């Protein structure tokens, strides 16, 4: 496990400190941040399970270790955190190199910071990823997790006008796959009534044509996007992990973005053989919060 957060790289007195996020217990990732980790076998203890819920609520992500590295095991753990959400990819989906990939994730190419399924009117709330296989001779494939809330507040510190623009303009996202054709619009930065950052929507590979903007406004919009992308792609803003077989990472798809380095198979290896295999599923966020409230009340714990 490695954190790449650097001393004084980002302003610790940013608007985060006085935001509604801090007041609601959503914590800023500090220097040297390591994703909180719990053993799967210990989740049978409700106090340990509650601690995992708290970590996921506070930081937007949690790591679970020790799940049997076999296909089909993920729902048994992800289901503890909320109801599994079925999408056009099914309840559980696979990520490994494919001859005819339906997603760039199913290639060996690197993945830029992004979130999932933003072309839906209601994108998934939580994502769970399980490492089923990662052979020792596979290089690359490091997974980077980025705090989108912190990135949004950093943008506000650097350029309040860009922050305001990305909170106003709705970006078009779309996906066509066989009989499926999805399209939806979301602001890049979602604000609450108190100007608290409620969510971030960033997935450049699925962006469509932006409508309703003058040429000058369109130029300003793309400049603001470029500034945000520079923040998101800075290695200092995030934490990097090499997923090991048995690892499960859960994260808030409204807050946390993921990226991946390129994957390199050994010379002569067939891409069709899944030497690196992840499985994923989506969990309903409202159900997660409901179960969190229940556990906190049952154990007389104040919610994060």
């Amino acid at each position: 496990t490695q954190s790449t957060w650097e001393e004084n790289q980002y302003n610790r007195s940013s608007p985060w400190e006085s935001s509604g996020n801090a007041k609601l217990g959503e914590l800023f990732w500090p220097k040297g941040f390591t994703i909180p980790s719990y053993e799967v076998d210990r989740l049978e203890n409700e106090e340990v399970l509650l601690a995992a819920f708290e970590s996921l609520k506070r930081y937007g992500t949690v790591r679970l270790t020790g799940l049997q590295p076999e296909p089909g095991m993920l729902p048994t753990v992800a289901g503890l955190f909320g109801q599994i959400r079925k999408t056009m990819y099914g309840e559980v989906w696979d990520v490994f190199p494919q001859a005819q990939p339906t997603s760039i994730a199913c290639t060996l190419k690197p993945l830029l910071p992004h979130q999932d399924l933003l072309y839906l009117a209601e994108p998934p709330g939580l994502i769970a990823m399980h490492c089923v296989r990662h052979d020792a001779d596979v290089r690359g494939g490091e997974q980077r997790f980025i705090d989108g809330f912190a990135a949004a507040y950093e943008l506000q510190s650097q350029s309040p006008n860009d922050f305001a623009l990305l909170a106003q303009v709705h970006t078009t996202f779309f996906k066509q796959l066989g009989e499926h054709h999805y399209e939806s619009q979301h602001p890049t930065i979602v604000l609450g009534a108190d100007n608290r950052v409620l969510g971030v929507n960033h997935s450049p590979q699925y962006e469509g044509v932006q409508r309703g903007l003058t040429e000058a406004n369109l130029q300003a919009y793309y400049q603001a996007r470029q500034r945000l992308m520079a923040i998101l792609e800075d290695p200092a803003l995030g934490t990097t992990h090499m997923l090991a077989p048995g690892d499960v990472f859960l994260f808030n798809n409204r807050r946390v973005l993921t990226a991946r380095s390129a994957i390199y198979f050994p010379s002569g290896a067939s891409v069709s053989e899944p030497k690196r295999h992840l499985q994923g599923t989506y969990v309903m966020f409202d159900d997660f919060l409901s179960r969190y409230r229940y556990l906190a009340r049952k154990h007389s714990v104040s919610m994060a």
Side-chain angles (χ1 to χ4, degrees):
T1 302
Q2 177 186 9
S3 176
T4 56
W5 196 285
E6 296 179 354
E7 185 76 34
N8 298 323
Q9 177 69 29
Y10 288 94
N11 184 2
R12 296 301 185 269
S13 60
S14 72
W16 181 290
E17 298 303 325
S18 59
S19 73
N21 298 84
K23 296 171 185 175
L24 288 177
E26 293 170 334
L27 303 183
F28 191 78
W29 295 4
K31 176 182 179 294
F33 174 70
T34 298
I35 295 176
S37 180
Y38 302 88
E39 296 176 6
V40 167
D41 289 345
R42 297 191 62 213
L43 297 181
E44 295 179 358
N45 182 322
E46 280 196 349
E47 292 183 352
V48 176
L49 180 62
L50 175 57
F53 269 79
E54 289 176 335
S55 297
L56 188 50
K57 177 63 168 61
R58 286 173 173 158
Y59 297 108
T61 182
V62 69
R63 178 190 182 193
L64 308 175
T65 62
L67 182 63
Q68 192 170 356
E70 294 183 0
M73 297 298 296
L74 181 58
T76 63
V77 169
L80 296 174
F81 292 83
Q83 182 177 339
I84 302 298
R85 176 176 172 181
K86 186 177 181 180
T87 68
M88 66 176 177
Y89 298 108
E91 290 189 351
V92 177
W93 30 271
D94 295 282
V95 179
F96 55 79
Q98 300 173 6
Q100 295 182 322
T102 57
S103 167
I104 191 174
C106 295
T107 70
L108 301 176
K109 298 178 181 179
L111 300 179
L112 297 177
H114 68 281
Q115 290 149 297
D116 278 17
L117 277 59
L118 297 187
Y119 40 78
L120 300 181
E122 293 291 338
L126 297 179
I127 302 175
M129 291 196 312
H130 176 211
C131 183
V132 175
R133 179 177 176 180
H134 190 112
D135 290 0
D137 57 359
V138 173
R139 294 188 299 111
E142 294 91 352
Q143 204 79 26
R144 191 159 71 92
F145 299 87
I146 304 138
D147 188 351
F149 285 5
Y153 285 121
E154 178 61 24
L155 178 66
Q156 188 178 29
S157 293
Q158 291 186 13
S159 178
N161 289 339
D162 286 344
F163 177 89
L165 182 62
L166 294 185
Q168 295 170 2
V169 175
H170 283 59
T171 300
T172 298
F173 300 93
F174 77 99
K175 172 76 171 184
Q176 289 182 264
L177 178 64
E179 63 182 10
H180 302 284
H181 185 170
Y182 294 102
E183 183 173 319
S184 194
Q185 292 79 37
H186 305 286
T188 301
I189 299 171
V190 182
L191 299 179
D194 57 355
N195 283 328
R196 173 171 62 97
V197 176
L198 298 178
V200 175
N201 294 297
H202 181 81
S203 191
Q205 61 267 48
Y206 292 112
E207 286 187 18
V209 176
Q210 304 311 310
R211 305 185 182 98
L213 294 178
T214 65
E215 184 174 347
N217 287 341
L218 189 63
Q219 182 177 359
Y221 164 78
Y222 283 118
Q223 288 177 346
R225 293 280 309 203
Q226 287 295 324
R227 188 185 296 269
L228 177 62
M229 289 174 69
I231 293 172
L232 290 171
E233 293 172 10
D234 190 324
L237 187 66
T239 181
T240 301
H241 292 260
M242 176 65 80
L243 277 63
D247 280 352
V248 175
F249 283 83
L250 287 97
F251 51 97
N252 182 349
N253 191 46
R254 300 174 182 177
R255 173 177 179 175
V256 176
L257 297 86
T258 60
R260 186 191 72 196
S261 64
I263 301 170
Y264 300 93
F265 280 8
S267 178
S270 172
V271 175
S272 61
E273 181 185 356
K275 297 175 71 64
R276 183 184 188 273
H277 182 188
L278 306 182
Q279 285 199 316
T281 192
Y282 300 114
V283 176
M284 295 178 63
F285 195 72
D286 286 339
D287 204 38
F288 161 74
L289 290 178
S290 173
R291 297 187 187 193
Y292 180 27
R293 295 185 189 104
Y294 167 75
L295 287 172
R297 185 175 67 250
K298 181 178 179 180
H299 294 274
S300 301
V301 173
S302 298
M303 288 186 60

